[in-house]
Amino acid sequence: MTQLPSRPDGVAVAEGRLVAWIPGRLKNPLNGSQGVSRAGRIWRTTERREWRSRTMLVVRDAMNRSRWRYSPLHGAVVVLTAYVWNRFDEDGLAAALKPVVDGLVDATLIDGDGPSSGHRFERRQEINRRHRGVEVVVEPRFEEAPR
């Protein structure tokens, strides 16, 4: 595996891939009692909004610093690696990473997150209790023209 040349600000570009680090503690919005009361719903909404805006800001900064020229992408490979305290189940990981994907759309890195966008999302997780957050790696897929 090739080592990506990284910079101290968490941005790296190598072989056409954009790598960005979004710090924070992921939480599964589908678990817990925080959804029972009105205060719980407000907390959940605020948490998702913060992840979405933090992702947008970090990714736009990464795109500017790296002089990213491929946006908005259609049909990209997006790898989201969550560094968490404990492992999530598959549904919980997808729900926890949903605001991050929405932030990528807000940053105009990708053109959408629906099936018609042609993106392939890979969600991974690793236990790291000291360094929690999400690493985003986006690689454009350039389709060959028909001959």
Side-chain angles (χ1 to χ4, degrees):
M1 181 172 186
T2 335
Q3 182 68 22
L4 291 175
S6 66
R7 297 174 10 189
D9 55 9
V11 176
V13 175
E15 302 168 7
R17 290 181 284 182
L18 179 77
V19 180
W21 170 255
I22 301 126
R25 295 180 177 185
L26 278 179
K27 294 180 182 166
N28 183 353
L30 304 177
N31 285 349
S33 61
Q34 68 267 15
V36 175
S37 68
R38 182 177 185 274
R41 286 190 300 272
I42 292 170
W43 174 83
R44 236 181 18 217
T45 303
T46 304
E47 188 81 14
R48 285 194 305 256
R49 191 177 301 132
E50 288 173 359
W51 266 103
R52 188 172 178 161
S53 65
R54 188 179 326 131
T55 301
M56 182 191 68
L57 291 172
V58 167
V59 169
R60 278 191 180 169
D61 182 54
M63 290 164 58
N64 288 335
R65 289 175 186 248
S66 66
R67 294 179 179 89
W68 187 254
R69 62 186 183 279
Y70 302 115
S71 296
L73 296 173
H74 183 79
V77 178
V78 180
V79 179
L80 304 165
T81 306
Y83 293 92
V84 296
W85 186 268
N86 288 325
R87 289 195 176 274
F88 291 101
D89 61 358
E90 189 175 321
D91 295 339
L93 182 62
L97 290 174
K98 176 67 174 142
V100 175
V101 174
D102 291 339
L104 296 176
V105 175
D106 292 345
T108 65
L109 179 61
I110 58 177
D111 60 352
D113 61 349
S116 63
S117 66
H119 301 300
R120 188 178 82 217
F121 293 97
E122 295 179 17
R123 295 170 183 88
R124 302 174 182 167
Q125 57 184 324
E126 292 183 23
I127 294 177
N128 189 337
R129 295 181 175 159
R130 293 186 181 185
H131 191 64
R132 292 166 64 183
V134 178
E135 180 185 60
V136 178
V137 179
V138 179
E139 182 174 359
R141 288 191 296 192
F142 299 109
E143 312 240 348
E144 291 185 21
R147 296 176 190 192

